[in-house]
Amino acid sequence: MQREDVSFLYAYRVRWADLDPQDIVFNPNYFVFFDSAANEYLRAIGYSLRSAMANDGADILAVKTEAEFRGSARLDDDLEIGVTVPHVGRTSFQFAFPVWRGNELLVLGRITYVAVGLASRRPIPVPVAFIAAIRNFEKTMPVEA
């Protein structure tokens, strides 16, 4: 994934609390970073999960997470966490999170979510307003299935 393909970057400086005994970022903490970056991305595209999804009668549930580690971040490293939506399906979508330190790609994370009805908690189509907000923001259009 190239930086120029990413429409949104979230800046994060590694804190002492992020480290493990090896003095590198403890690998599960990247998922906390991804969550923060995704929330800021949603603000940037003008779509609030809490209010907009609820207005659409929907919520989202994470069904798959993955991270490919290529390097390690350390205390006080300035990271840029990209957020992009490479895939939108009928009931699911995926966020991708490339993490850079300078020009070095350290981690590539992905989280797949399924849209569910608020009451039923069963899969429903991804809200049209959410897809439109993504299309209006992204440099590279998500693959739709």
Side-chain angles (χ1 to χ4, degrees), residues 9 28 60 110 125:
L9 292 170
I60 59 171
R110 293 177 196 84

Side-chain angles (χ1 to χ4, degrees), residues 12 14-15 17-22 24-36 65-69 71-73 79 81 97 99 107 109-111:
Y12 185 81
V14 176
R15 306 166 307 141
D18 298 323
L19 305 180
D20 65 14
Q22 295 172 312
I24 59 175
V25 171
F26 186 46
N27 55 7
N29 285 339
Y30 284 99
F31 290 96
V32 176
F33 303 169
F34 300 159
D35 185 65
S36 295
T65 61
E66 57 186 304
E68 180 183 322
F69 299 97
S72 301
L79 304 179
I81 303 162
F97 304 96
V99 180
V107 179
R110 293 177 196 84
I111 301 178

Side-chain angles (χ1 to χ4, degrees), residues 14 19 22-25 72-78 101:
V14 176
L19 305 180
Q22 295 172 312
D23 287 330
I24 59 175
V25 171
S72 301
R74 300 182 182 283
L75 182 65
D76 285 332
D77 280 354
D78 288 316
R101 178 183 53 215

